[in-house]
Amino acid sequence: MIRPLRTALMVAIVALPLTACGGRGNKSVANADLAASKVTTIGVNAYLWRASLDTLSFMPLLQTDSNGGVIVTDWYVNPQIPTERMKVTVSILDQDLRADALRVAALREVNRGGQWITAPVQAATTQKLEDIILTKARDLRRASITG
């Protein structure tokens, strides 16, 4: 589901032992360290990233970019409302855990006569998603500090 993240993690695991090879002052060791750090760090706040993925885990993911901080879901049809579908885009804009570092956008369509037609999304829907993500991110941060 999250192939780019899994691939980056595998590359980091393979590259990490290579950093221990060679002597001091060896430029290849320094380059390997740099490569490993680039692979294992993301460009946005890790708590917001993890919380966003957790919050949207029930929806199929279309695109994830941890460096750019963008998560795009595919259309999701709630089994209890089969005539309606949603698509969500989460943008994480900063490395700090702040409310203004998160932006959620949603698209909604309703099925009328077998055809999907664009419908308005209530502003409360995206606000609620942002609140859920921010709360989860703060909980993750708190748990990492205390535990």
Side-chain angles (χ1 to χ4, degrees), residues 20-21 25 35-36 39-40 46-47 49 56 63 65 69 73-74 107 120 131 135 137:
C21 299
V39 169
T40 58
Y47 300 116
W49 180 255
L56 299 175
Q63 174 190 358
D65 176 7
T73 71
D74 204 352
L107 298 173
D131 290 344
T135 300

Side-chain angles (χ1 to χ4, degrees), residues 47-48 50-58 90 97 102 104 124-140 142:
Y47 300 116
L48 285 173
R50 182 77 244 159
S52 297
L53 288 174
D54 288 350
T55 302
L56 299 175
S57 64
F58 69 96
V90 174
L97 177 51
L102 179 69
V104 175
T125 302
T126 55
Q127 184 62 49
K128 178 82 172 162
L129 275 171
E130 286 178 1
D131 290 344
I132 291 168
I133 292 169
L134 286 166
T135 300
K136 280 189 184 203
R138 289 180 187 123
D139 291 345
L140 288 169
R142 207 175 355 247

